[in-house]
Amino acid sequence: MPRLLYQGHASFRIQTDRGAIAYIDPFAGEGYTYPADLVIVTHEHPDHNVVSLVTMKEGGRILRVDDLFKKGAYQTYEVARMAIMAVPATNEHHPVTEGVGILLDVDGIMLYFAGDTSYTNFMGKGLFGIDIDYAFLPIDGVHNMGPEEATFCADMIQPRWAVPIHMKPGQLFDREMAERFDYDNRLILEPGEEIGLAEW
């Protein structure tokens, strides 16, 4: 079974069923000891792009916004049998040309990392019909949408599980903010918590 470690803030480590390792937005927490096949940086703010924390495997790939959004088009890749598709992420603090969300297929399990964003039309139209197992949505209400808007987005996307992240500037986790995210199939992860990813 593939596994996901929440490192805090918007940082994750993913291990596939075959042992490939991916990091999303390295910055927070512990757990950077496994060399990476893949690192994804959704945008270049310093709380998302500390690639120096990660040791790369030979042939490993780092995908940044310049790789994921080229000439006005969102790009797709396959790395270590993980399928990556960049999608829109934007709000008044994050220009659409400077950041992305990510759809990541890991062993047939679809993960949606929304990136730093508020509601976008893509959430209603572009994600329609995509069977998302886990959606990771920012909820800080300062640089991104707040928990109420994130709940609205989750209700529209209808993932099997929705996980609140990026909860408060300067903190890896905030329980009070997480509890305000009110999606029916809410999954609250604390920094350092690891789960097995499963289709439901």
Side-chain angles (χ1 to χ4, degrees), residues 80-92:
R81 301 192 182 188
M82 290 175 278
I84 305 118
M85 182 171 71
V87 299
T90 188
N91 58 29
E92 62 182 310

Side-chain angles (χ1 to χ4, degrees), residues 40-188:
I40 296 174
V41 176
T42 62
H43 64 290
E44 295 294 346
H45 286 175
D47 58 336
H48 292 259
N49 70 349
V50 189
V51 175
S52 59
L53 290 170
V54 180
T55 301
M56 301 301 297
K57 292 181 183 177
E58 184 175 353
R61 189 80 187 268
I62 300 172
L63 296 176
R64 297 179 179 270
V65 175
D66 287 347
D67 305 300
L68 295 162
F69 185 71
K70 291 182 180 180
K71 297 181 180 178
Y74 293 95
Q75 304 297 307
T76 60
Y77 294 87
E78 184 170 334
V79 177
R81 301 192 182 188
M82 290 175 278
I84 305 118
M85 182 171 71
V87 299
T90 188
N91 58 29
E92 62 182 310
H93 304 289
H94 300 88
V96 70
T97 58
E98 296 179 10
V100 297
I102 294 292
L103 287 169
L104 181 64
D105 186 327
V106 178
D107 299 326
I109 297 167
M110 184 61 74
L111 312 176
Y112 171 49
F113 296 93
D116 271 18
T117 192
S118 299
Y119 168 77
T120 69
N121 287 334
F122 179 83
M123 292 177 184
K125 296 178 181 178
L127 293 178
F128 180 76
I130 297 177
D131 197 15
I132 294 173
D133 294 291
Y134 297 85
F136 302 89
L137 302 172
I139 64 164
D140 63 77
V142 179
H143 303 295
N144 299 288
M145 57 190 168
E148 293 78 17
E149 186 176 347
T151 301
F152 170 80
C153 294
D155 286 336
M156 180 170 294
I157 298 164
Q158 287 290 299
R160 289 182 172 83
W161 296 101
V163 183
I165 65 169
H166 206 303
M167 299 170 194
K168 186 173 284 189
Q171 297 188 29
L172 300 189
F173 178 79
D174 186 278
R175 170 64 64 173
E176 181 181 354
M177 287 292 286
E179 295 284 355
R180 286 173 55 191
F181 178 68
D182 195 29
Y183 184 63
D184 285 345
N185 283 2
R186 178 186 69 190
L187 177 61
I188 296 176

Side-chain angles (χ1 to χ4, degrees), residues 25-45:
D25 284 346
F27 162 72
E30 305 294 332
Y32 294 98
T33 53
Y34 296 171
D37 297 273
L38 172 66
V39 177
I40 296 174
V41 176
T42 62
H43 64 290
E44 295 294 346
H45 286 175

